[in-house]
PDB file of all heavy atoms in Angstrom:
ATOM      1  N   ALA C 231     226.043 136.618-145.904  1.00  0.00           N
ATOM      2  CA  ALA C 231     226.452 135.680-144.853  1.00  0.00           C
ATOM      3  C   ALA C 231     225.728 134.352-145.001  1.00  0.00           C
ATOM      4  O   ALA C 231     224.784 134.224-145.769  1.00  0.00           O
ATOM      5  CB  ALA C 231     226.159 136.285-143.493  1.00  0.00           C
ATOM      6  N   GLN C 232     226.187 133.369-144.222  1.00  0.00           N
ATOM      7  CA  GLN C 232     225.520 132.071-144.084  1.00  0.00           C
ATOM      8  C   GLN C 232     224.628 132.160-142.848  1.00  0.00           C
ATOM      9  O   GLN C 232     225.080 132.575-141.777  1.00  0.00           O
ATOM     10  CB  GLN C 232     226.546 130.951-143.893  1.00  0.00           C
ATOM     11  CG  GLN C 232     227.489 130.770-145.051  1.00  0.00           C
ATOM     12  CD  GLN C 232     226.794 130.172-146.258  1.00  0.00           C
ATOM     13  OE1 GLN C 232     225.948 129.303-146.133  1.00  0.00           O
ATOM     14  NE2 GLN C 232     227.142 130.666-147.434  1.00  0.00           N
ATOM     15  N   VAL C 233     223.363 131.753-142.980  1.00  0.00           N
ATOM     16  CA  VAL C 233     222.396 131.937-141.904  1.00  0.00           C
ATOM     17  C   VAL C 233     221.779 130.598-141.499  1.00  0.00           C
ATOM     18  O   VAL C 233     221.437 129.778-142.348  1.00  0.00           O
ATOM     19  CB  VAL C 233     221.278 132.906-142.373  1.00  0.00           C
ATOM     20  CG1 VAL C 233     220.212 133.044-141.312  1.00  0.00           C
ATOM     21  CG2 VAL C 233     221.865 134.253-142.728  1.00  0.00           C
ATOM     22  N   SER C 234     221.637 130.415-140.183  1.00  0.00           N
ATOM     23  CA  SER C 234     220.917 129.266-139.629  1.00  0.00           C
ATOM     24  C   SER C 234     219.835 129.799-138.705  1.00  0.00           C
ATOM     25  O   SER C 234     220.066 130.749-137.961  1.00  0.00           O
ATOM     26  CB  SER C 234     221.857 128.355-138.837  1.00  0.00           C
ATOM     27  OG  SER C 234     222.835 127.791-139.671  1.00  0.00           O
ATOM     28  N   LEU C 235     218.647 129.190-138.767  1.00  0.00           N
ATOM     29  CA  LEU C 235     217.524 129.612-137.930  1.00  0.00           C
ATOM     30  C   LEU C 235     216.868 128.372-137.347  1.00  0.00           C
ATOM     31  O   LEU C 235     216.401 127.504-138.077  1.00  0.00           O
ATOM     32  CB  LEU C 235     216.515 130.420-138.750  1.00  0.00           C
ATOM     33  CG  LEU C 235     215.265 130.907-138.030  1.00  0.00           C
ATOM     34  CD1 LEU C 235     215.621 131.789-136.836  1.00  0.00           C
ATOM     35  CD2 LEU C 235     214.358 131.652-139.005  1.00  0.00           C
ATOM     36  N   ARG C 236     216.856 128.304-136.015  1.00  0.00           N
ATOM     37  CA  ARG C 236     216.270 127.153-135.314  1.00  0.00           C
ATOM     38  C   ARG C 236     215.254 127.643-134.289  1.00  0.00           C
ATOM     39  O   ARG C 236     215.402 128.716-133.727  1.00  0.00           O
ATOM     40  CB  ARG C 236     217.362 126.369-134.593  1.00  0.00           C
ATOM     41  CG  ARG C 236     218.330 125.707-135.526  1.00  0.00           C
ATOM     42  CD  ARG C 236     219.370 124.894-134.753  1.00  0.00           C
ATOM     43  NE  ARG C 236     220.310 124.300-135.661  1.00  0.00           N
ATOM     44  CZ  ARG C 236     221.455 124.870-136.029  1.00  0.00           C
ATOM     45  NH1 ARG C 236     221.790 126.040-135.544  1.00  0.00           N
ATOM     46  NH2 ARG C 236     222.261 124.261-136.871  1.00  0.00           N
ATOM     47  N   ILE C 237     214.268 126.802-134.037  1.00  0.00           N
ATOM     48  CA  ILE C 237     213.268 127.069-133.002  1.00  0.00           C
ATOM     49  C   ILE C 237     213.467 126.037-131.899  1.00  0.00           C
ATOM     50  O   ILE C 237     213.591 124.841-132.177  1.00  0.00           O
ATOM     51  CB  ILE C 237     211.829 126.975-133.561  1.00  0.00           C
ATOM     52  CG1 ILE C 237     211.660 127.860-134.795  1.00  0.00           C
ATOM     53  CG2 ILE C 237     210.812 127.316-132.474  1.00  0.00           C
ATOM     54  CD1 ILE C 237     211.808 129.337-134.563  1.00  0.00           C
ATOM     55  N   TRP C 238     213.484 126.519-130.639  1.00  0.00           N
ATOM     56  CA  TRP C 238     213.699 125.664-129.473  1.00  0.00           C
ATOM     57  C   TRP C 238     212.509 125.768-128.527  1.00  0.00           C
ATOM     58  O   TRP C 238     211.865 126.810-128.452  1.00  0.00           O
ATOM     59  CB  TRP C 238     214.956 126.111-128.716  1.00  0.00           C
ATOM     60  CG  TRP C 238     216.205 125.997-129.511  1.00  0.00           C
ATOM     61  CD1 TRP C 238     216.715 126.929-130.376  1.00  0.00           C
ATOM     62  CD2 TRP C 238     217.105 124.902-129.549  1.00  0.00           C
ATOM     63  NE1 TRP C 238     217.875 126.463-130.933  1.00  0.00           N
ATOM     64  CE2 TRP C 238     218.149 125.225-130.440  1.00  0.00           C
ATOM     65  CE3 TRP C 238     217.133 123.671-128.914  1.00  0.00           C
ATOM     66  CZ2 TRP C 238     219.198 124.362-130.706  1.00  0.00           C
ATOM     67  CZ3 TRP C 238     218.195 122.816-129.177  1.00  0.00           C
ATOM     68  CH2 TRP C 238     219.207 123.161-130.070  1.00  0.00           C
ATOM     69  N   SER C 239     212.238 124.695-127.803  1.00  0.00           N
ATOM     70  CA  SER C 239     211.196 124.719-126.775  1.00  0.00           C
ATOM     71  C   SER C 239     211.740 125.474-125.564  1.00  0.00           C
ATOM     72  O   SER C 239     212.952 125.672-125.440  1.00  0.00           O
ATOM     73  CB  SER C 239     210.809 123.294-126.364  1.00  0.00           C
ATOM     74  OG  SER C 239     211.810 122.747-125.522  1.00  0.00           O
ATOM     75  N   PRO C 240     210.865 125.867-124.631  1.00  0.00           N
ATOM     76  CA  PRO C 240     211.332 126.549-123.413  1.00  0.00           C
ATOM     77  C   PRO C 240     212.236 125.659-122.560  1.00  0.00           C
ATOM     78  O   PRO C 240     213.001 126.149-121.755  1.00  0.00           O
ATOM     79  CB  PRO C 240     210.044 126.878-122.659  1.00  0.00           C
ATOM     80  CG  PRO C 240     208.929 126.649-123.602  1.00  0.00           C
ATOM     81  CD  PRO C 240     209.425 125.778-124.704  1.00  0.00           C
ATOM     82  N   ARG C 241     212.160 124.359-122.762  1.00  0.00           N
ATOM     83  CA  ARG C 241     212.992 123.412-122.018  1.00  0.00           C
ATOM     84  C   ARG C 241     214.319 123.126-122.704  1.00  0.00           C
ATOM     85  O   ARG C 241     215.092 122.280-122.260  1.00  0.00           O
ATOM     86  CB  ARG C 241     212.206 122.115-121.796  1.00  0.00           C
ATOM     87  CG  ARG C 241     210.997 122.302-120.881  1.00  0.00           C
ATOM     88  CD  ARG C 241     209.974 121.195-120.973  1.00  0.00           C
ATOM     89  NE  ARG C 241     209.325 121.056-122.267  1.00  0.00           N
ATOM     90  CZ  ARG C 241     208.413 121.884-122.779  1.00  0.00           C
ATOM     91  NH1 ARG C 241     208.042 122.947-122.104  1.00  0.00           N
ATOM     92  NH2 ARG C 241     207.864 121.680-123.946  1.00  0.00           N
ATOM     93  N   GLY C 242     214.587 123.826-123.819  1.00  0.00           N
ATOM     94  CA  GLY C 242     215.855 123.654-124.523  1.00  0.00           C
ATOM     95  C   GLY C 242     215.869 122.508-125.511  1.00  0.00           C
ATOM     96  O   GLY C 242     216.925 122.119-125.991  1.00  0.00           O
ATOM     97  N   GLU C 243     214.703 121.965-125.836  1.00  0.00           N
ATOM     98  CA  GLU C 243     214.625 120.871-126.810  1.00  0.00           C
ATOM     99  C   GLU C 243     214.437 121.447-128.209  1.00  0.00           C
ATOM    100  O   GLU C 243     213.664 122.397-128.400  1.00  0.00           O
ATOM    101  CB  GLU C 243     213.436 119.966-126.464  1.00  0.00           C
ATOM    102  CG  GLU C 243     213.543 119.348-125.102  1.00  0.00           C
ATOM    103  CD  GLU C 243     212.196 118.868-124.568  1.00  0.00           C
ATOM    104  OE1 GLU C 243     211.158 119.353-125.036  1.00  0.00           O
ATOM    105  OE2 GLU C 243     212.216 118.016-123.669  1.00  0.00           O
ATOM    106  N   PRO C 244     215.111 120.893-129.215  1.00  0.00           N
ATOM    107  CA  PRO C 244     214.937 121.397-130.574  1.00  0.00           C
ATOM    108  C   PRO C 244     213.527 121.111-131.095  1.00  0.00           C
ATOM    109  O   PRO C 244     212.998 120.021-130.899  1.00  0.00           O
ATOM    110  CB  PRO C 244     215.980 120.634-131.386  1.00  0.00           C
ATOM    111  CG  PRO C 244     216.320 119.441-130.579  1.00  0.00           C
ATOM    112  CD  PRO C 244     216.056 119.788-129.142  1.00  0.00           C
ATOM    113  N   VAL C 245     212.911 122.097-131.727  1.00  0.00           N
ATOM    114  CA  VAL C 245     211.571 121.945-132.302  1.00  0.00           C
ATOM    115  C   VAL C 245     211.675 121.767-133.807  1.00  0.00           C
ATOM    116  O   VAL C 245     211.151 120.809-134.363  1.00  0.00           O
ATOM    117  CB  VAL C 245     210.682 123.163-131.961  1.00  0.00           C
ATOM    118  CG1 VAL C 245     209.334 123.068-132.654  1.00  0.00           C
ATOM    119  CG2 VAL C 245     210.503 123.283-130.460  1.00  0.00           C
ATOM    120  N   VAL C 246     212.355 122.680-134.478  1.00  0.00           N
ATOM    121  CA  VAL C 246     212.504 122.612-135.929  1.00  0.00           C
ATOM    122  C   VAL C 246     213.686 123.477-136.362  1.00  0.00           C
ATOM    123  O   VAL C 246     214.001 124.483-135.724  1.00  0.00           O
ATOM    124  CB  VAL C 246     211.195 123.051-136.644  1.00  0.00           C
ATOM    125  CG1 VAL C 246     210.915 124.524-136.450  1.00  0.00           C
ATOM    126  CG2 VAL C 246     211.214 122.701-138.109  1.00  0.00           C
ATOM    127  N   THR C 247     214.341 123.060-137.428  1.00  0.00           N
ATOM    128  CA  THR C 247     215.378 123.868-138.064  1.00  0.00           C
ATOM    129  C   THR C 247     214.798 124.413-139.356  1.00  0.00           C
ATOM    130  O   THR C 247     214.403 123.643-140.236  1.00  0.00           O
ATOM    131  CB  THR C 247     216.644 123.031-138.364  1.00  0.00           C
ATOM    132  OG1 THR C 247     217.171 122.549-137.120  1.00  0.00           O
ATOM    133  CG2 THR C 247     217.693 123.849-139.082  1.00  0.00           C
ATOM    134  N   LEU C 248     214.716 125.728-139.453  1.00  0.00           N
ATOM    135  CA  LEU C 248     214.140 126.365-140.635  1.00  0.00           C
ATOM    136  C   LEU C 248     215.194 126.640-141.699  1.00  0.00           C
ATOM    137  O   LEU C 248     214.914 126.531-142.895  1.00  0.00           O
ATOM    138  CB  LEU C 248     213.449 127.666-140.245  1.00  0.00           C
ATOM    139  CG  LEU C 248     212.314 127.512-139.241  1.00  0.00           C
ATOM    140  CD1 LEU C 248     211.818 128.869-138.784  1.00  0.00           C
ATOM    141  CD2 LEU C 248     211.180 126.706-139.847  1.00  0.00           C
ATOM    142  N   LEU C 249     216.389 127.012-141.278  1.00  0.00           N
ATOM    143  CA  LEU C 249     217.503 127.280-142.200  1.00  0.00           C
ATOM    144  C   LEU C 249     218.767 126.673-141.622  1.00  0.00           C
ATOM    145  O   LEU C 249     218.983 126.739-140.410  1.00  0.00           O
ATOM    146  CB  LEU C 249     217.730 128.787-142.359  1.00  0.00           C
ATOM    147  CG  LEU C 249     216.582 129.636-142.876  1.00  0.00           C
ATOM    148  CD1 LEU C 249     216.957 131.109-142.770  1.00  0.00           C
ATOM    149  CD2 LEU C 249     216.267 129.279-144.307  1.00  0.00           C
ATOM    150  N   GLU C 250     219.600 126.119-142.479  1.00  0.00           N
ATOM    151  CA  GLU C 250     220.868 125.543-142.030  1.00  0.00           C
ATOM    152  C   GLU C 250     221.961 125.983-142.992  1.00  0.00           C
ATOM    153  O   GLU C 250     222.062 125.479-144.108  1.00  0.00           O
ATOM    154  CB  GLU C 250     220.788 124.017-141.974  1.00  0.00           C
ATOM    155  CG  GLU C 250     222.020 123.355-141.418  1.00  0.00           C
ATOM    156  CD  GLU C 250     222.222 123.623-139.930  1.00  0.00           C
ATOM    157  OE1 GLU C 250     221.226 123.659-139.197  1.00  0.00           O
ATOM    158  OE2 GLU C 250     223.379 123.783-139.519  1.00  0.00           O
ATOM    159  N   ASN C 251     222.746 126.972-142.565  1.00  0.00           N
ATOM    160  CA  ASN C 251     223.863 127.500-143.359  1.00  0.00           C
ATOM    161  C   ASN C 251     223.432 127.881-144.774  1.00  0.00           C
ATOM    162  O   ASN C 251     224.055 127.485-145.754  1.00  0.00           O
ATOM    163  CB  ASN C 251     225.018 126.507-143.389  1.00  0.00           C
ATOM    164  CG  ASN C 251     225.620 126.316-142.019  1.00  0.00           C
ATOM    165  OD1 ASN C 251     225.750 127.259-141.245  1.00  0.00           O
ATOM    166  ND2 ASN C 251     225.960 125.092-141.686  1.00  0.00           N
ATOM    167  N   VAL C 252     222.371 128.656-144.869  1.00  0.00           N
ATOM    168  CA  VAL C 252     221.835 129.112-146.152  1.00  0.00           C
ATOM    169  C   VAL C 252     222.453 130.475-146.482  1.00  0.00           C
ATOM    170  O   VAL C 252     222.501 131.358-145.623  1.00  0.00           O
ATOM    171  CB  VAL C 252     220.300 129.226-146.097  1.00  0.00           C
ATOM    172  CG1 VAL C 252     219.741 129.802-147.377  1.00  0.00           C
ATOM    173  CG2 VAL C 252     219.697 127.868-145.810  1.00  0.00           C
ATOM    174  N   ALA C 253     222.916 130.629-147.700  1.00  0.00           N
ATOM    175  CA  ALA C 253     223.502 131.905-148.125  1.00  0.00           C
ATOM    176  C   ALA C 253     222.402 132.953-148.260  1.00  0.00           C
ATOM    177  O   ALA C 253     221.365 132.702-148.876  1.00  0.00           O
ATOM    178  CB  ALA C 253     224.228 131.726-149.453  1.00  0.00           C
ATOM    179  N   ARG C 254     222.645 134.115-147.664  1.00  0.00           N
ATOM    180  CA  ARG C 254     221.711 135.236-147.765  1.00  0.00           C
ATOM    181  C   ARG C 254     222.503 136.461-148.221  1.00  0.00           C
ATOM    182  O   ARG C 254     223.608 136.709-147.741  1.00  0.00           O
ATOM    183  CB  ARG C 254     221.049 135.538-146.422  1.00  0.00           C
ATOM    184  CG  ARG C 254     220.030 134.502-146.016  1.00  0.00           C
ATOM    185  CD  ARG C 254     218.794 134.629-146.917  1.00  0.00           C
ATOM    186  NE  ARG C 254     217.722 133.756-146.484  1.00  0.00           N
ATOM    187  CZ  ARG C 254     217.321 132.705-147.173  1.00  0.00           C
ATOM    188  NH1 ARG C 254     217.915 132.382-148.296  1.00  0.00           N
ATOM    189  NH2 ARG C 254     216.334 131.962-146.743  1.00  0.00           N
ATOM    190  N   PRO C 255     221.929 137.244-149.143  1.00  0.00           N
ATOM    191  CA  PRO C 255     222.618 138.449-149.604  1.00  0.00           C
ATOM    192  C   PRO C 255     222.587 139.544-148.537  1.00  0.00           C
ATOM    193  O   PRO C 255     221.841 139.454-147.562  1.00  0.00           O
ATOM    194  CB  PRO C 255     221.800 138.863-150.832  1.00  0.00           C
ATOM    195  CG  PRO C 255     220.434 138.331-150.557  1.00  0.00           C
ATOM    196  CD  PRO C 255     220.643 137.053-149.792  1.00  0.00           C
ATOM    197  N   ALA C 256     223.375 140.581-148.763  1.00  0.00           N
ATOM    198  CA  ALA C 256     223.376 141.728-147.855  1.00  0.00           C
ATOM    199  C   ALA C 256     222.008 142.396-147.864  1.00  0.00           C
ATOM    200  O   ALA C 256     221.284 142.330-148.853  1.00  0.00           O
ATOM    201  CB  ALA C 256     224.449 142.715-148.294  1.00  0.00           C
ATOM    202  N   GLY C 257     221.638 143.002-146.760  1.00  0.00           N
ATOM    203  CA  GLY C 257     220.373 143.719-146.675  1.00  0.00           C
ATOM    204  C   GLY C 257     219.378 142.997-145.789  1.00  0.00           C
ATOM    205  O   GLY C 257     219.661 141.953-145.211  1.00  0.00           O
ATOM    206  N   LEU C 258     218.195 143.568-145.704  1.00  0.00           N
ATOM    207  CA  LEU C 258     217.130 143.028-144.867  1.00  0.00           C
ATOM    208  C   LEU C 258     216.453 141.857-145.575  1.00  0.00           C
ATOM    209  O   LEU C 258     216.016 141.987-146.711  1.00  0.00           O
ATOM    210  CB  LEU C 258     216.107 144.133-144.575  1.00  0.00           C
ATOM    211  CG  LEU C 258     214.987 143.796-143.612  1.00  0.00           C
ATOM    212  CD1 LEU C 258     215.536 143.452-142.238  1.00  0.00           C
ATOM    213  CD2 LEU C 258     214.037 144.978-143.505  1.00  0.00           C
ATOM    214  N   ASN C 259     216.389 140.717-144.909  1.00  0.00           N
ATOM    215  CA  ASN C 259     215.752 139.515-145.459  1.00  0.00           C
ATOM    216  C   ASN C 259     214.647 139.074-144.510  1.00  0.00           C
ATOM    217  O   ASN C 259     214.927 138.657-143.398  1.00  0.00           O
ATOM    218  CB  ASN C 259     216.773 138.382-145.616  1.00  0.00           C
ATOM    219  CG  ASN C 259     217.807 138.685-146.665  1.00  0.00           C
ATOM    220  OD1 ASN C 259     217.550 138.539-147.848  1.00  0.00           O
ATOM    221  ND2 ASN C 259     218.973 139.139-146.244  1.00  0.00           N
ATOM    222  N   GLN C 260     213.398 139.157-144.951  1.00  0.00           N
ATOM    223  CA  GLN C 260     212.276 138.775-144.104  1.00  0.00           C
ATOM    224  C   GLN C 260     211.353 137.789-144.815  1.00  0.00           C
ATOM    225  O   GLN C 260     210.155 137.777-144.596  1.00  0.00           O
ATOM    226  CB  GLN C 260     211.482 140.017-143.696  1.00  0.00           C
ATOM    227  CG  GLN C 260     212.264 140.959-142.824  1.00  0.00           C
ATOM    228  CD  GLN C 260     211.436 142.133-142.362  1.00  0.00           C
ATOM    229  OE1 GLN C 260     210.397 142.447-142.926  1.00  0.00           O
ATOM    230  NE2 GLN C 260     211.900 142.797-141.326  1.00  0.00           N
ATOM    231  N   THR C 261     211.907 136.921-145.629  1.00  0.00           N
ATOM    232  CA  THR C 261     211.082 135.994-146.403  1.00  0.00           C
ATOM    233  C   THR C 261     210.846 134.673-145.695  1.00  0.00           C
ATOM    234  O   THR C 261     209.926 133.943-146.046  1.00  0.00           O
ATOM    235  CB  THR C 261     211.718 135.714-147.770  1.00  0.00           C
ATOM    236  OG1 THR C 261     213.036 135.203-147.562  1.00  0.00           O
ATOM    237  CG2 THR C 261     211.794 136.981-148.605  1.00  0.00           C
TER     238      THR C 261
END
């Protein structure tokens, strides 16, 4: 799948985007 991972503040403000539509293979990914 394509994966996006973002961190938000408790007030709903964006803090950082770690991944943006990055291809990840099937299985557990914890890198």
Side-chain angles (χ1 to χ4, degrees):
Q232 298 289 321
V233 176
S234 296
L235 179 58
R236 294 182 182 92
I237 307 296
W238 297 86
S239 76
R241 294 162 296 287
E243 300 160 338
V245 175
V246 68
T247 298
L248 300 173
L249 301 172
E250 185 68 38
N251 295 322
V252 175
R254 288 289 186 249
L258 185 62
N259 293 281
Q260 295 184 342
T261 57

